[in-house]
Amino acid sequence: MSAPAPSPLATVVADPAHAPARQDEVLTDAALAFIAALHRRFTPRRDELLARRAERRAEIARTGTLDFLPRTAAVREDPDWRVAPAPAALNDRRVEITGPTDRKMTINALNSGARVWLADFEDASSPTWENVVGGQLNLIDAYERRIDFTSEQGKSYALKPADELATVVMRPRGWHLDERHLTVDGRPVPGALVDFGLYFFHNARRLIDLGKGPYFYLPKTESHLEARLWNDVFVFAQDHLGIPQGSVRATVLIETITAAYEMEEILYELREHASGLNAGRWDYLFSIVKNFRDGGAKFVLPDRNAVTMTAPFMRAYTELLVRTCHKRGAHAIGGMAAFIPSRKDPEVNEVAFQKVKADKDREANDGFDGSWVAHPDLVPVARASFDAVLGDRPHQKDRLREDVHVRAEELIAVDSLEAKPTYEGLRNAVQVGTRYIEAWLRGLGAVAIFNLMEDAATAEISRSQIWQWINAGVVFDNGRKATAELVREVAAEELAAVRAETGPDGFAAGRWEEAHDLLLKVALDEDYADFLTLPAYELLG
């Protein structure tokens, strides 16, 4: 007897008794057929590219360096090519707000006064099935203007008029994460294709009718070949659903060290769909540690808060990004202002706002066309910095930064920093890592910790630095050596502090023990986990 023919639909693998509300509105047969088509066509290439990541990491471990690619020199040297012109809705991007797609955030972000909202299914979202499906529904409801929200305190939230709303740029998950709740031919579908596919299927035509379009941020890209895969996904999706080619626009986060050496090639591969590049921070530092973790003392990073964007190797990265974008007609978008204003301490807010202003002033004066904030109260601060430089212009892409000349070695000159790891830096890494992972396991991807909005990238750099400091035998400022035993001691102290802070009932209601154990696993295991969200996903409800 022959085997049954494969289903033309993606299969939902979830408990029907606990299905998210209105799930059937998202997981229609037509949408599941589209997901299946994307999976069958593109997942094999995704698999090959993930294997190539491992090969490249092995090469970095062997050589201890990186360089611009000789085989793509012709792309970099060709002065003539440009990315597609920006659509009107993405021409002015001076302030962008980021956040997950829960109902309250959807309304607040759209109403924030920012030009763009990065609607995040990735680092700021814990990928519970409820969040995956609910986030899609919230965006559909927002475009249909049938979204509202009432808090437990009775405060109501509703959308402003359409012309006052931010433009949505949606960020799907990275290529490395699978979605276990959707399978095709017995295999889980990559989360990237689930997030992209459901959003595109339901909203591409709707957004075009609204005078905008299906716009995306592409995370954790490691090479121009991965950008080429995304471009092929866009071409196929537009053709498959009868959407005009070129409707998609993508901004790529340059948040891996390997991608920093392929900025022009990434824009070239996406040029009919490219909108710009973004300079991330924590994921970029995480990528440096991950790729050069066995590179010796010259690659040891100090405390994460000591690595500012003014560090020489970070300046090289951001200035190269601005020059690359403007050379090719793309937007250069700056990094995150993650401060969360205090309701109790105006002095703390004043100091933090001045730091945010200085950071955004620097970005605007360096040539960036816009930047990120994590909270609506920071929108006017960042806007003032860019208004002062841009005036009535939508961007400053005419500022070509031809004065910038970055050598390959400057991008990885970590030893140009004078700061060193400290014991308090270790304690902070344990505190933030534990607190973030615990929230993530409860389904929260964007978490306010010590007045900063933290996401998965924060936890990644925290656990990576712990791993690196131990393996490099770092001796801290108090004379104590970084060891697994010391980390376990600090982690136990943090767990006790949380127990005292939350009380017995609050502690029991959380997932603190699991978070503690997972942090120690990904920070102390000899075999370094590529992403902590992979083992964490196995624990996610």
Side-chain angles (χ1 to χ4, degrees):
M1 182 180 293
S2 60
S7 169
L9 310 182
T11 301
V12 182
V13 185
D15 181 1
H18 297 92
R22 301 168 58 200
Q23 173 178 284
D24 292 345
E25 295 179 38
V26 175
L27 304 179
T28 63
D29 283 353
L32 293 174
F34 182 56
I35 296 296
L38 289 171
H39 174 82
R40 291 190 174 114
R41 190 176 185 95
F42 296 110
T43 297
R45 279 179 59 192
R46 189 284 306 251
D47 295 343
E48 293 171 1
L49 289 170
L50 291 185
R52 188 178 181 278
R53 286 183 178 183
E55 294 168 1
R56 194 171 194 189
R57 154 62 196 151
E59 181 183 349
I60 292 170
R62 179 178 58 82
T63 63
T65 192
L66 274 170
D67 203 347
F68 301 105
L69 300 180
R71 65 180 179 276
T72 56
V75 170
R76 298 192 299 274
E77 293 167 3
D78 182 349
D80 295 329
W81 65 267
R82 298 288 186 277
V83 303
L90 288 179
N91 202 33
D92 189 327
R93 304 178 61 173
R94 66 187 69 202
V95 186
E96 304 191 353
I97 192 168
T98 73
T101 53
D102 62 85
R103 211 156 182 85
K104 180 181 176 182
M105 181 66 193
T106 296
I107 298 170
N108 282 345
L110 288 170
N111 287 346
S112 66
R115 298 293 181 132
V116 166
W117 170 36
L118 187 160
D120 200 4
F121 285 80
E122 207 233 3
D123 272 356
S125 179
S126 173
T128 64
W129 188 229
E130 184 176 0
N131 286 345
V132 170
V133 173
Q136 297 283 349
L137 276 166
N138 289 335
L139 292 172
I140 293 169
D141 285 350
Y143 299 145
E144 291 295 316
R145 296 196 65 86
R146 60 189 183 212
I147 191 170
D148 55 28
F149 178 81
T150 302
S151 70
E152 293 179 358
Q153 294 75 33
K155 184 177 180 180
S156 297
Y157 298 80
L159 291 181
K160 293 179 179 179
D163 60 355
E164 297 180 33
L165 300 181
T167 294
V168 174
V169 180
M170 183 270 222
R171 177 161 70 167
R173 281 169 281 181
W175 283 124
H176 60 288
L177 283 165
D178 286 338
E179 175 50 70
R180 65 170 176 255
H181 295 96
L182 282 182
T183 66
V184 173
D185 306 333
R187 282 200 59 190
V189 181
L193 295 180
V194 173
D195 298 340
F196 164 81
L198 292 175
Y199 182 76
F200 187 88
F201 179 86
H202 288 292
N203 298 302
R205 178 63 62 189
R206 179 181 280 121
L207 285 162
I208 290 170
D209 291 344
L210 291 171
K212 297 189 177 182
Y215 306 143
F216 299 92
Y217 258 110
L218 304 181
K220 294 180 174 57
T221 301
E222 296 200 12
S223 73
H224 70 286
L225 298 179
E226 294 180 17
R228 181 182 299 172
L229 173 57
W230 269 119
N231 195 72
D232 290 346
V233 169
F234 297 155
V235 171
F236 172 82
Q238 290 167 124
D239 182 62
H240 195 78
L241 296 183
I243 303 298
Q245 289 293 334
S247 297
V248 170
R249 286 293 190 277
T251 305
V252 180
L253 292 110
I254 302 299
E255 55 186 357
T256 66
I257 186 61
T258 52
Y261 288 87
E262 301 181 36
M263 293 187 203
E264 286 196 74
E265 293 91 330
I266 286 169
L267 285 176
Y268 181 81
E269 295 294 343
L270 286 159
R271 59 194 180 280
E272 295 304 319
H273 300 107
S275 179
L277 302 177
N278 170 274
R281 182 179 175 188
W282 299 134
D283 263 321
Y284 188 73
L285 295 175
F286 156 52
S287 175
I288 291 175
V289 174
K290 177 163 63 174
N291 281 286
F292 291 95
R293 61 184 181 267
D294 41 19
K298 65 181 293 189
F299 289 106
V300 172
L301 286 170
D303 303 357
R304 70 170 181 129
N305 291 325
V307 187
T308 67
M309 299 304 275
T310 60
F313 72 102
M314 297 298 279
R315 288 285 290 166
Y317 150 63
T318 56
E319 294 208 309
L320 179 61
L321 187 145
V322 172
R323 172 166 182 166
T324 299
C325 286
H326 291 182
K327 176 182 178 183
R328 302 304 182 181
H331 282 76
I333 307 300
M336 171 70 81
F339 176 69
I340 302 299
S342 169
R343 296 180 180 179
K344 301 177 180 178
D345 196 336
E347 291 185 10
V348 168
N349 292 345
E350 182 59 30
V351 171
F353 281 0
Q354 288 304 313
K355 289 182 178 179
V356 171
K357 179 182 183 302
D359 186 52
K360 299 312 172 190
D361 286 349
R362 174 190 55 78
E363 288 180 327
N365 285 310
D366 280 351
F368 281 96
D369 303 294
S371 190
W372 282 5
V373 300
H375 192 278
D377 287 356
L378 300 182
V379 169
V381 179
R383 185 171 56 225
S385 294
F386 281 89
D387 286 350
V389 172
L390 297 178
D392 293 332
R393 297 177 299 156
H395 52 70
Q396 52 181 331
K397 289 190 284 190
D398 58 340
R399 190 174 171 204
L400 299 179
R401 290 307 310 272
E402 292 176 337
D403 56 307
V404 172
H405 302 281
V406 175
R407 302 186 308 276
E409 60 269 21
E410 291 180 86
L411 292 171
I412 51 174
V414 175
D415 56 351
S416 62
L417 286 172
E418 294 184 3
K420 303 295 181 186
T422 69
Y423 179 75
E424 281 308 308
L426 172 66
R427 181 173 294 281
N428 181 258
V430 170
Q431 289 176 318
V432 172
T434 302
R435 289 167 185 254
Y436 180 81
I437 292 171
E438 190 276 335
W440 195 93
L441 293 175
R442 287 188 290 110
L444 301 174
V447 187
I449 303 174
F450 307 143
N451 287 113
L452 292 176
M453 183 59 74
E454 309 286 20
D455 65 12
T458 303
E460 291 284 23
I461 185 60
S462 295
R463 66 94 180 190
S464 297
Q465 291 200 282
I466 296 169
W467 194 99
Q468 184 187 51
W469 294 342
I470 291 171
N471 282 269
V474 164
V475 177
F476 295 117
D477 49 329
N478 64 354
R480 301 194 71 177
K481 184 177 181 180
T483 63
E485 291 72 25
L486 177 61
V487 173
R488 290 191 185 97
E489 175 187 319
V490 174
E493 292 172 357
E494 168 61 10
L495 206 59
V498 168
R499 191 188 304 270
E501 179 184 317
T502 60
D505 292 343
F507 188 87
R511 300 186 67 175
W512 295 103
E513 295 281 0
E514 290 172 283
H516 165 275
D517 294 349
L518 180 57
L519 177 67
L520 291 183
K521 176 178 174 56
V522 295
L524 302 183
D525 274 6
E526 183 176 346
D527 293 330
Y528 179 92
D530 281 344
F531 295 95
L532 76 80
T533 46
L534 294 174
Y537 189 54
E538 299 304 312
L539 303 174
L540 199 62

